Amino acid sequence: SQTIHQWPATLVQPVGSPLSLECTVEGTSNPNLYWYRQAAGRGLQLLFYSVGIGQISSEVPQNLSASRPQDRQFILSSKKLLLSDSGFYLCAWSPQGASIQYFGAGTRLSVL
Amino acid sequence: DQQVKQNSPSLSVQEGRISILNCDYTNSMFDYFLWYKKYPAEGPTFLISISSIKDKNEDGRFTVFLNKSAKHLSLHIVPSQPGDSAVYFCAASDGGTSYGKLTFGQGTILTVHP
């Protein structure tokens, strides 16, 4: 069966520090991968998606970037965190061509 | 421009009764709709979905209804249980995109009282 791992679960970082969140999927190949952010009291906002290795598309302009160095690995990064980057970050995957997405447990990021 | 809206931020029901969660959408290109359930500090879990060629889909205690003319869908939970207390998100997909983009509503907090 397929599983998705996301870490760390919580992270507290100072303003201006770098960020690296990692997500890996097991039990499938060539998945679509997604990064979402959920701000307090709001829905899920799609940040990045990837349909293959090295293929990254951004949905909204922001201080973050994403990379997909391997088929089942998706990384969310920032060179310098802003206070507004605080939130709950979720990684998700879906089979190619399917609409159902499966989510990781999420990372609570607090930028202080 | 919010294309998927859940206008009720919260809903409170008694255990054993029916919970009805509502969702409206504006984009007529959406052709697949999903409901997710989310507990605090966890990722959303897929619950049930419906294609635009159907008007009802049932899975155990969960039934999703789709009214295309009204651009409205609803999730019925019968009977409601305390363990159903969570945030429920509806989401919609436009089959025209190559990467299965989902557009989410803001979520509705469901509380089921024993």
Side-chain angles (χ1 to χ4, degrees), chain A residues 32 34 36 38 41-46 49 51 59 88 90 94 96-106 108, chain B residues 2 31-32 34 36 38 40-46 49 87 89 93 95 98-107:
Chain A
N32 286 342
Y34 313 85
Y36 287 87
Q38 182 187 15
R42 303 186 68 175
L44 281 68
Q45 181 185 37
L46 179 63
Y49 67 91
V51 299
E59 279 289 297
F88 191 56
L90 290 155
S94 70
Q96 290 281 343
S99 293
I100 299 175
Q101 295 179 17
Y102 302 94
F103 287 81
R108 171 72 59 192
Chain B
Q2 196 140 17
D31 60 1
Y32 194 75
L34 308 89
Y36 283 84
K38 183 182 180 303
E42 294 184 11
T45 302
F46 169 71
S49 62
V87 180
F89 291 98
S93 173
S98 62
Y99 61 96
K101 176 179 178 177
L102 292 181
T103 302
F104 284 85
Q106 314 95 300

Side-chain angles (χ1 to χ4, degrees), chain B residues 59-78:
Chain B
D59 184 2
R61 296 186 297 115
F62 301 91
T63 303
V64 56
F65 295 91
L66 176 61
N67 182 333
K68 287 188 292 294
S69 60
K71 293 191 175 68
H72 177 83
L73 66 153
S74 60
L75 175 68
H76 292 210
I77 306 174
V78 183

